[in-house]
Amino acid sequence: MAEPAATEPVRPLPGRTVLLVALLLGLLTGGALVALIWWVNVSGALAGPRLDAVRVGVSIAVGGGGVFALFLAWRRQRSTEADHLQRERTLERTLEQQREVAADNHRDAVERRITELYTKSAELLGADTAPVRLAGIYALERLGQSNPGQRQTVVHVFCAYLRNPGEPDEQERHVRSTVQRVLSSHLRGAAAWPGLDVDLTGAVLHDFDFSGCVVRQASFDRATFRGRANFGSARFESMALFQGTQFEDHAEFGGAVVACASFDGARFAKLAVFNGAELGPVEFTGTAFEAGALFRGAGFKGRAVFGGARFGEATVFDDAKFHDLASLAGIVFLDSAVFTDVEFLGPSTFRRTDFRGDALFGGCVFRQGTDFAGALFGRWVNFRDVRFDGRADVFPAHARLDVDETTAKRAWPPTWQLVTSTDTELPGHEGRWGEVFDTTTFAEDA
């Protein structure tokens, strides 16, 4: 609402001004009387008209005085109203200042109360007995629930507690399990605390359940997950870091949505599941999948880099879709690598990838160029119904010749050919190997 315009204060009327106005009225009245009497004398009128002239002069004097009196009354009223308005504004300013002081006092009281609660809760977390530490956890939880502005601080405290080094005893494992449960419970569901960051760098986590949680970003770099690690349907709105992370048991990322992620140097001791996950730019450089991995139906929205990764058991990418660069160069697949019906929308590379098990690419679509140069195919190969919309470089790939006949049935792309008339030995690899080349490429070069 607009504030009314300020009223100009009424200044006191100087005494000399009043005197001057009275003098002017006297002069005007006297002048009028003289003029009227002169006119009557000149015109030769009798006493009656002369008396009328005097009355007219007196009326002029009275009228002038009345007008001046009205002016003075108007000034007095205006001054009274201005003074009243000024008092109202002064009162409003006073009340506003009082409200501001009261609000500041309230904020100060709230801040002091929050600080006291936070300090007491932190002291409880440092207690020697587990029940007292549990009381501190629940006190911090209540603090965050009642004060949204303190939630990130509460989460930082929880994460710091979980990052404490050392091998916990049974009671301490129970406390840490409670912290994990309380933390995840406030990151999922309709009542979740939104827009928070989680930093569990280097933490040792037991049976960690982060399924369905939503965070802005999270760091699990060099963390160790003992027992099942469940990130199913979790959402990382900015970034998720798992560099050098150790997954000692089953790792579940099915249905997770990750804007950007790095698993460089991570180790999955048992099966890693990314079925149906939506991954932005993601890196698995040097990642060890000791028990294989499942990426069925996964969507790679950004660059996907698997350079130097190692898969110990069967790895499945069925129906996955790579929207950008798919770099699978230098990977070692110790068991089957299944890429059936995968769609590569961007460029892709399998340069120097070592397929020691079956390499199954049936039904794949390569929308842009792909590169299999230097790849090694150790067992059965299936490229049936593969579609190359761009250039497919393969020479000099190699395929092993001395394999069992049951596994020697290979379905190459129509223009690829395996040379079996000559064979060679590859350093560090058993058996005899033949070269694979693309006859179309050789014809174009000729």
Side-chain angles (χ1 to χ4, degrees):
M1 181 177 178
E3 192 172 311
T7 303
E8 187 71 21
V10 179
R11 297 179 180 178
L13 194 63
R16 61 184 179 181
T17 301
V18 177
L19 181 61
L20 181 61
V21 171
L23 181 61
L24 289 174
L25 286 174
L27 290 175
L28 179 62
T29 302
L33 284 172
V34 170
L36 287 171
I37 292 172
W38 175 81
W39 176 77
V40 170
N41 289 333
V42 171
S43 61
L46 298 179
R50 292 180 180 178
L51 183 59
D52 291 338
V54 173
R55 289 195 187 107
V56 170
V58 172
S59 297
I60 291 174
V62 172
V67 170
F68 186 63
L70 287 174
F71 170 72
L72 293 178
W74 171 78
R75 287 190 85 258
R76 185 165 49 252
Q77 178 64 26
R78 185 167 178 266
S79 176
T80 301
E81 292 177 352
D83 183 61
H84 179 69
L85 182 59
Q86 184 65 27
R87 286 198 299 270
E88 286 185 346
R89 288 178 176 172
T90 302
L91 179 60
E92 288 179 359
R93 286 196 295 268
T94 302
L95 292 175
E96 182 63 26
Q97 292 173 353
Q98 291 176 349
R99 284 193 291 266
E100 291 178 356
V101 171
D104 291 340
N105 291 336
H106 176 70
R107 283 193 295 269
D108 291 342
V110 171
E111 291 296 330
R112 284 195 300 272
R113 178 174 173 274
I114 290 174
T115 301
E116 291 173 359
L117 290 175
Y118 176 79
T119 303
K120 292 179 180 178
S121 301
E123 291 175 354
L124 293 176
L125 281 179
D128 294 332
T129 59
V132 178
R133 294 197 295 274
L134 287 172
I137 293 168
Y138 290 119
L140 281 172
E141 180 188 21
R142 288 194 300 274
L143 176 62
Q145 189 68 18
S146 304
N147 301 276
Q150 301 297 317
R151 290 173 179 175
Q152 183 63 74
T153 301
V154 171
V155 170
H156 284 327
V157 174
F158 286 160
C159 292
Y161 191 89
L162 292 173
R163 292 197 303 268
N164 284 334
E167 189 65 30
D169 55 22
E170 184 176 354
Q171 285 190 337
E172 178 60 12
R173 280 197 296 271
H174 175 65
V175 174
R176 295 195 182 194
S177 176
T178 301
V179 175
Q180 291 180 186
R181 179 180 55 78
V182 171
L183 174 63
S184 59
S185 68
H186 288 292
L187 298 176
R188 67 163 67 96
W193 298 350
L196 300 181
D197 300 338
V198 172
D199 184 4
L200 289 169
T201 302
V204 178
L205 306 167
H206 295 261
D207 295 319
F208 189 71
D209 185 6
F210 211 69
S211 60
C213 290
V214 180
V215 295
R216 192 176 70 89
Q217 64 182 20
S219 174
F220 296 92
D221 286 349
R222 302 183 305 282
T224 300
F225 292 91
R226 294 176 178 170
R228 181 183 176 89
N230 187 2
F231 291 87
S233 300
R235 179 182 293 271
F236 299 88
E237 297 173 341
S238 178
M239 182 177 291
L241 300 176
F242 294 88
Q243 297 177 115
T245 305
Q246 302 291 314
F247 295 90
E248 297 183 353
D249 207 320
H250 180 87
E252 175 63 57
F253 287 86
V257 179
V258 187
C260 180
S262 175
F263 291 84
D264 290 352
R267 170 179 167 265
F268 294 87
K270 295 188 177 179
L271 185 65
V273 178
F274 290 83
N275 293 335
E278 292 185 12
L279 305 172
V282 60
E283 294 193 8
F284 290 92
T285 304
T287 305
F289 296 89
E290 297 180 358
L294 302 179
F295 291 89
R296 286 193 177 99
F300 296 88
K301 306 295 184 179
R303 295 165 56 93
V305 180
F306 288 81
R310 187 179 183 90
F311 294 86
E313 296 183 10
T315 304
V316 180
F317 285 86
D318 285 356
D319 299 310
K321 181 177 288 188
F322 293 85
H323 293 259
D324 205 324
L325 171 68
S327 178
L328 296 105
I331 295 177
V332 177
F333 292 100
L334 297 177
D335 205 329
S336 299
V338 183
F339 288 86
T340 305
D341 297 322
V342 174
E343 190 170 3
F344 296 89
L345 301 180
S348 58
T349 176
F350 292 84
R351 178 177 287 268
R352 296 186 302 277
T353 297
D354 189 351
F355 297 95
R356 299 187 184 181
D358 299 334
L360 310 180
F361 287 85
C364 281
V365 177
F366 295 87
R367 299 291 183 184
Q368 298 186 34
T370 187
D371 183 2
F372 282 87
L376 303 178
F377 299 96
R379 293 180 61 188
W380 186 39
V381 178
N382 180 17
F383 280 88
R384 185 174 287 109
D385 299 325
V386 171
R387 175 179 168 183
F388 296 106
D389 291 341
R391 182 183 178 93
D393 294 326
V394 63
F395 185 79
H398 291 81
R400 188 169 176 177
L401 300 177
D402 54 339
V403 293
D404 296 337
E405 291 188 5
T406 56
T407 61
K409 298 177 182 179
R410 291 164 170 167
W412 299 101
T415 60
W416 291 13
Q417 184 174 338
L418 171 62
V419 178
T420 60
S421 58
T422 59
D423 59 76
T424 184
E425 294 183 357
L426 297 180
H429 293 79
E430 298 180 352
R432 297 180 298 107
W433 297 79
E435 290 186 345
V436 180
F437 66 93
D438 187 346
T439 57
T440 302
T441 302
F442 272 77
E444 291 175 353
D445 293 342

